[in-house]
Amino acid sequence: MNNFTKTGKVRYSLSPDGKILQVFIPVRFQKRGGRRQIIAPDDGTGLVPTRTSRDETMIQCLARSFKWRKMLDSGQASNLTEIASREKVNVSYVCRLFDFSFLAPDIVEAILDGRQPKGLTMREMRDEIPVSWEEQRRKFGFPEPVSV
């Protein structure tokens, strides 16, 4: 049973009676976005480590939009003009970013984790964010969420 065959980094062995196959795949666990993720090796098996590229500008815009939405929802501000005045920014800037607080939760999570489609920028997203979460995913190139 200790006689392992290696294919790349994956090891496997077959019991002497041929009934049990043991497979060892070296993985590491990494915490991303508050969740543990399994990072598998790239050894020609098609298992490629997840690489992220967090876009800090996108994350900052999301944070501001959710902050401003909370201000409106809690009654701390009565409208976007008041928010702009308090934040010392242009009203048009607040209006452009405010819609980001209505993105689908899985899109927000992907952006925070750095898993947004390559090349996607806030400038591309801010022009017109669809109301429908399905349409948002289609327009911006995000996959449908996986149901568990």
Side-chain angles (χ1 to χ4, degrees):
M1 193 90 163
N2 292 341
N3 192 7
F4 290 103
T5 305
K6 286 181 99 171
T7 58
K9 295 179 182 179
V10 176
R11 298 180 299 159
Y12 62 92
S13 69
L14 191 60
S15 66
D17 61 4
K19 292 183 178 180
I20 300 173
L21 175 67
Q22 278 188 316
V23 179
F24 296 91
I25 303 172
V27 297
R28 61 187 170 92
F29 296 90
Q30 188 168 1
K31 202 167 187 180
R32 290 207 175 128
R35 294 183 179 179
R36 287 200 178 266
Q37 213 173 22
I38 296 174
I39 309 298
D42 181 12
D43 61 356
T45 62
L47 300 173
V48 180
T50 305
R51 290 182 179 87
T52 61
S53 57
R54 290 174 46 117
D55 184 329
E56 297 302 325
T57 302
M58 290 178 102
I59 292 170
Q60 184 180 32
C61 290
L62 281 172
R64 285 182 174 168
S65 70
F66 278 96
K67 174 187 172 187
W68 297 338
R69 182 172 164 192
K70 185 177 180 180
M71 289 172 72
L72 284 178
D73 291 346
S74 68
Q76 293 175 349
S78 57
N79 57 43
L80 296 179
T81 304
E82 186 177 332
I83 290 173
S85 174
R86 285 187 188 179
E87 298 283 321
K88 296 182 174 73
V89 294
N90 194 309
V91 177
S92 65
Y93 177 72
V94 173
C95 292
R96 282 194 313 266
L97 292 191
F98 187 73
D99 288 343
F100 288 110
S101 68
F102 297 104
L103 285 171
D106 55 294
I107 292 176
V108 172
E109 184 176 331
I111 292 170
L112 294 175
D113 288 347
R115 295 181 286 111
Q116 70 277 359
K118 190 173 183 166
L120 183 65
T121 64
M122 291 309 275
R123 175 169 274 152
E124 293 172 46
M125 293 180 75
R126 75 176 184 211
D127 292 336
E128 184 180 330
I129 296 177
V131 175
S132 160
W133 288 351
E134 291 81 17
E135 183 140 345
Q136 289 175 7
R137 290 183 198 101
R138 254 191 316 277
K139 181 175 181 178
F140 302 129
F142 287 89
E144 289 293 322
V146 179
S147 299
V148 180

